[in-house]
Amino acid sequence: MQKRTTEKQNDVLGDPRPLKSQKTTQEVKNQASNYSNAALAIGLILVGCIANNFVLELLIRENTHIGTFLTFLQFVAISAASFFLNVESKGGKWNLVSRKTPLMVYIGLNVVFVTLSVANNKAFSYKISQPVHMIFRSSSLIASIFIGFFFRKRYTRSQTMGAILVTIGIIAVTFAEGSEKAKRSMTVCQDCNQQVEVDVNPDDKQDDNFLIWLGGICLLTFALLLSALLGHIQEWTYKTYGKNWKEGLFYTHFLALPYFALFSSEILQLWQACSASPPSDLFFEYGFHVPIMWIYMFANLITQLVCIFGVYMLTGAVGTLPCTLTITLRKFLSLIISIVYFKNAFTIYHWVGSMVVFVGGAWYVS
């Protein structure tokens, strides 16, 4: 009797087994789509982010104070590009897609995000080398654990050990860089025919002052803590309101633009400095005299768009762990390029410290 009733229900409602098969097929399609998006995103990160870092070093070598202006232009470019990902057509009119995350949450995120971005780029004004800058930005684990305790998070012994290794590596790199900055050499006094101790770069004494460099290290440490705080806030936002990388990309950059009014005079001065830079030979034969700084700036903005779209795509497709590993690989490759191509000073202590940082990071995520 029960079997007949079941068969009758299946005749009326339909056999549920095909629905289960159909759902499984849809899941396979979604998974294949995620893998496809992830592969594209990894390519964007490796190409876009490495190229962006290369152009950034070209900019810094032209003007070490370009950081704030560059950050402002990056936010404008990303806001404009991501705007078109957040509009839809209804009844012949274009409107912004309804937000899933409250506006006040994005405003809070923006305060941290803008301060973090400006601090990171401003550090170059304090004679922080590009390799040290990259290593610092790759070592947010210990800061993340520290901030995580305020969010009542607990960490495994493996994660703690990985963070400790990263911290040891950062200390080694900082010590090596500090030794280079404070390094003194012996030269011969032509008048008195004896060796005296002088600065390696006496003409650049004021800029290479050890205390100025130490201020840059403090600024990077502050940015490191802000980066960890931003990560935990974003994680809470994703858990509470769901992931929407297109929405997050637009609002975290667009709503931050008013904050740059605080730096308006500095931005104007740097705009004039870019326009006054020597013309590039790239378009000279065509009769165009484009300042070299604007060429670098345009290249930086394009590669920044490619890079950040890849990061947001990868996070949305496969989560934060593969994204962290990809970004770590990208930073390591950028570090090698910076040392080999730009011939940045990198002693054995720098190498040991950087290797400890990357090994600690891999240990943490494993």
Side-chain angles (χ1 to χ4, degrees), residues 179-186 197-200 205:
S179 298
E180 286 293 312
K181 292 295 180 182
K183 192 176 182 181
R184 304 177 71 83
S185 64
M186 301 300 294
E197 192 178 47
V198 297
D199 289 334
V200 175
K205 183 176 180 180

Side-chain angles (χ1 to χ4, degrees), residues 29 76 82 88 155 167 186 199 250 267 318 325-326 333 357:
K29 289 182 179 180
V76 171
S82 59
E88 59 182 357
Y155 299 91
T167 306
M186 301 300 294
D199 289 334
F250 173 65
I267 289 173
V318 292
L325 292 174
T326 304
L333 295 175
V357 167

Side-chain angles (χ1 to χ4, degrees), residues 126-127 181-182 199 201 204-216:
Y126 294 84
K127 292 296 180 180
K181 292 295 180 182
D199 289 334
N201 298 313
D204 204 22
K205 183 176 180 180
Q206 183 177 1
D207 286 338
D208 280 338
N209 185 280
F210 179 75
L211 292 178
I212 294 178
W213 172 83
L214 194 61

Side-chain angles (χ1 to χ4, degrees), residues 319-332:
T320 56
L321 180 57
C323 189
T324 301
L325 292 174
T326 304
I327 292 174
T328 301
L329 174 62
R330 189 279 299 174
K331 288 179 179 178
F332 181 75

